[in-house]
Amino acid sequence: MPKTKISWQPRSYSIGDYRYSRITDGDTPFIEVSIRMLSIEAPEVHYPGETKPYKHDEKLKELGERFKNGAFPKIPDKLRKYLIDRLDGQSGTRQYTQGLWSSDHFLEMIEKELFPRNRA
């Protein structure tokens, strides 16, 4: 695996960008801020809100059927076939499973690259 480079390009943040986590004493608040990894795309394990992809298997299958039946005529044929082949009764379940695998792999990568001394 190639070396991981972590860089930080500071910019102005408002307090709304952070989430208070905890304090250890009267002068040390811990805050959290989410970051997005550049050039990494992974399957989502939740849809907007807290809905899990596997709860949408039937709706995704229905969408695949709509594509098969000619809905959305402006969609190019190559993309239509690609979607039809993937929108079945297990689409959301596959996405969720792959998202969990991706999260596990990412955690392993972070632990290896950021905390190499903590490995047994």
Side-chain angles (χ1 to χ4, degrees), residues 33-77:
V33 61
S34 64
I35 60 171
R36 184 78 173 167
M37 303 305 292
L38 297 177
S39 301
I40 295 178
E41 186 57 48
E44 301 295 332
V45 293
H46 60 83
Y47 289 155
E50 292 299 318
T51 306
K52 302 294 184 194
Y54 58 81
K55 292 185 177 185
H56 297 273
D57 279 341
E58 192 57 39
K59 288 188 183 282
L60 291 167
K61 182 179 177 180
E62 289 173 16
L63 181 60
E65 291 298 321
R66 291 182 68 195
F67 276 113
K68 259 188 225 176
N69 294 329
F72 316 108
K74 292 184 179 182
I75 300 285
D77 289 340

Side-chain angles (χ1 to χ4, degrees), residues 3-88:
K3 283 281 190 192
T4 301
K5 181 179 177 187
I6 298 175
S7 62
W8 173 259
Q9 294 182 347
R11 70 173 176 92
S12 276
Y13 285 95
S14 73
I15 194 67
D17 292 330
Y18 299 103
R19 188 175 97 201
Y20 166 76
S21 178
R22 62 188 170 91
I23 62 168
T24 58
D25 53 36
D27 65 354
T28 310
F30 283 78
I31 58 169
E32 298 175 19
V33 61
S34 64
I35 60 171
R36 184 78 173 167
M37 303 305 292
L38 297 177
S39 301
I40 295 178
E41 186 57 48
E44 301 295 332
V45 293
H46 60 83
Y47 289 155
E50 292 299 318
T51 306
K52 302 294 184 194
Y54 58 81
K55 292 185 177 185
H56 297 273
D57 279 341
E58 192 57 39
K59 288 188 183 282
L60 291 167
K61 182 179 177 180
E62 289 173 16
L63 181 60
E65 291 298 321
R66 291 182 68 195
F67 276 113
K68 259 188 225 176
N69 294 329
F72 316 108
K74 292 184 179 182
I75 300 285
D77 289 340
K78 190 173 179 180
L79 177 58
R80 177 181 303 280
K81 177 167 180 6
Y82 179 87
L83 293 171
I84 288 170
D85 289 346
R86 285 157 181 79
L87 292 171
D88 58 28

